[in-house]
Amino acid sequence: MSTSEQHTPAEARDHNWVDVQDSPDFRELRRRLRSFVFPMAGLFLAWYLLYVLLADYAHGFMSTKVVGNINVGLILGLLQFVSTFVITTLYVRHANKKLDPMAEKLRNELEGGRA
């Protein structure tokens, strides 16, 4: 018996996973995930690309002093980190509200109603 078989309940091994993937609930779960991940990834990549392009081609703008030695480039660079934390927070909220309940329902159905 392989390691994966030892740790997999017998009921889970007996499922036809193609049928599970084709089920309406699984398709809806995948749609909900993709409806968040793809737009957010595109938005973040566009924001990052804008930062890189500004850093490379808009030296004057990026070196504009805001307060003391703090310039626009530094602020935009730090906002890259802030945006990462914001996206993470938004994803956790999205997952808790829209993904986890559906995933739990599917898991319970697959495991025969066990919690």
Side-chain angles (χ1 to χ4, degrees):
M1 184 178 278
S2 73
T3 304
S4 64
E5 290 178 281
Q6 291 173 352
H7 298 290
T8 306
E11 299 85 17
R13 285 194 310 263
D14 293 338
H15 289 294
N16 181 345
W17 294 107
V18 173
D19 290 343
V20 172
Q21 288 179 338
D22 288 340
S23 73
D25 286 341
F26 187 82
R27 284 196 311 264
E28 176 62 18
L29 178 62
R30 192 172 50 212
R31 185 197 66 75
R32 288 180 185 188
L33 174 68
R34 289 176 176 174
S35 71
F36 180 88
V37 171
F38 290 149
M40 196 59 67
L43 183 66
F44 181 78
L45 289 173
W47 157 233
Y48 181 72
L49 181 62
L50 174 66
Y51 173 70
V52 170
L53 290 173
L54 286 172
D56 195 31
Y57 296 107
H59 297 280
F61 172 70
M62 294 295 268
S63 63
T64 302
K65 301 257 186 213
V66 177
V67 176
N69 287 329
I70 298 174
N71 60 27
V72 172
L74 179 62
I75 292 172
L76 291 179
L78 292 173
L79 285 175
Q80 291 289 317
F81 291 101
V82 172
S83 65
T84 300
F85 291 115
V86 168
I87 290 170
T88 301
T89 301
L90 292 173
Y91 175 76
V92 168
R93 287 184 188 168
H94 177 76
N96 287 339
K97 184 177 178 184
K98 301 211 174 185
L99 302 177
D100 291 348
M102 182 165 273
E104 182 72 18
K105 176 184 172 217
L106 283 168
R107 185 179 67 86
N108 286 336
E109 289 173 3
L110 289 171
E111 293 180 352
R114 294 180 311 192

